[in-house]
Amino acid sequence: MHLLIAIILGVTAYFKGNWKEYSKYINTIFYVVILNLLYEVLCKDKLLWVYNPTFFPKSQIITTLIYSFIVLPCITLIFLSNYPFHQKKQKQVLYIFKWIVASFIIESIYLYFDKIDLKNGYKYWMEPLFYFVMYMMIRLHFSRPFLTYSLSFV
């Protein structure tokens, strides 16, 4: 399933991503990748979620790298490429809400099929808050990177 989501997001990013202006999004993509890898290193003994690898070789490291270098960059590119920057705030809030709901549903499927485990007191009901923060930080980084770095540090 992990490889499947990477393929689906790769194809979606190919068709729905704004590749003509890829350079506009690259710094935010780097931000997302670096923070994910930093989380994996700093919290390696107390991870909040662990992927259950499903392909050969069954390696947690390879699965994490697929998420870091394929899944999250594709999500970031698709999210920012289609973000309604010049619409009313209500449209922007609705757009983020749709992404939170979609992410929550996909994660529900992963939990149901035991492809991800929540650990160390992290609960399923916390996921919408996590996704809210994640998408808000992606959006904020795109327009105000230095503020985002400060908030990320905190």
Side-chain angles (χ1 to χ4, degrees):
M1 278 181 87
H2 301 294
L3 194 54
L4 178 64
I5 195 74
I7 292 168
I8 290 170
L9 284 169
V11 170
T12 304
Y14 180 78
F15 289 107
K16 294 285 189 180
N18 183 0
W19 291 97
K20 290 179 183 174
E21 298 182 276
Y22 182 79
S23 61
K24 281 178 27 178
Y25 311 115
I26 194 67
N27 288 337
T28 303
I29 291 171
F30 287 155
Y31 164 77
V32 171
V33 169
I34 290 167
L35 279 188
N36 188 60
L37 292 173
L38 194 59
Y39 159 75
E40 292 288 336
V41 170
L42 294 178
C43 301
K44 66 180 176 169
D45 297 327
K46 291 285 186 182
L47 294 172
L48 299 179
W49 55 86
V50 177
Y51 304 116
N52 294 324
T54 56
F55 51 88
F56 182 82
K58 289 192 175 192
S59 169
Q60 180 68 32
I61 292 171
I62 291 173
T63 305
T64 298
L65 292 175
I66 287 171
Y67 276 87
S68 295
F69 293 111
I70 298 173
V71 172
L72 291 173
C74 287
I75 287 171
T76 305
L77 178 63
I78 298 164
F79 177 77
L80 289 175
S81 293
N82 297 284
Y83 192 88
F85 289 104
H86 303 294
Q87 300 282 333
K88 294 180 180 179
K89 291 292 180 196
Q90 183 179 9
K91 289 260 188 190
Q92 294 178 25
V93 169
L94 182 61
Y95 181 79
I96 292 171
F97 180 74
K98 288 178 184 178
W99 274 83
I100 293 168
V101 169
S103 299
F104 190 67
I105 290 169
I106 291 168
E107 184 147 344
S108 300
I109 295 167
Y110 272 66
L111 285 167
Y112 179 80
F113 287 106
D114 199 34
K115 300 302 176 199
I116 190 169
D117 289 328
L118 303 180
K119 304 279 188 186
N120 296 310
Y122 191 69
K123 303 293 182 202
Y124 181 63
W125 62 267
M126 297 174 179
E127 284 299 301
L129 177 61
F130 169 78
Y131 286 122
F132 172 78
V133 171
M134 182 179 99
Y135 290 119
M136 290 301 294
M137 294 298 276
I138 289 171
R139 170 59 186 96
L140 184 62
H141 183 274
F142 183 75
S143 59
R144 310 242 348 245
F146 293 110
L147 173 61
T148 309
Y149 298 140
S150 301
L151 292 172
S152 298
F153 181 75
V154 172

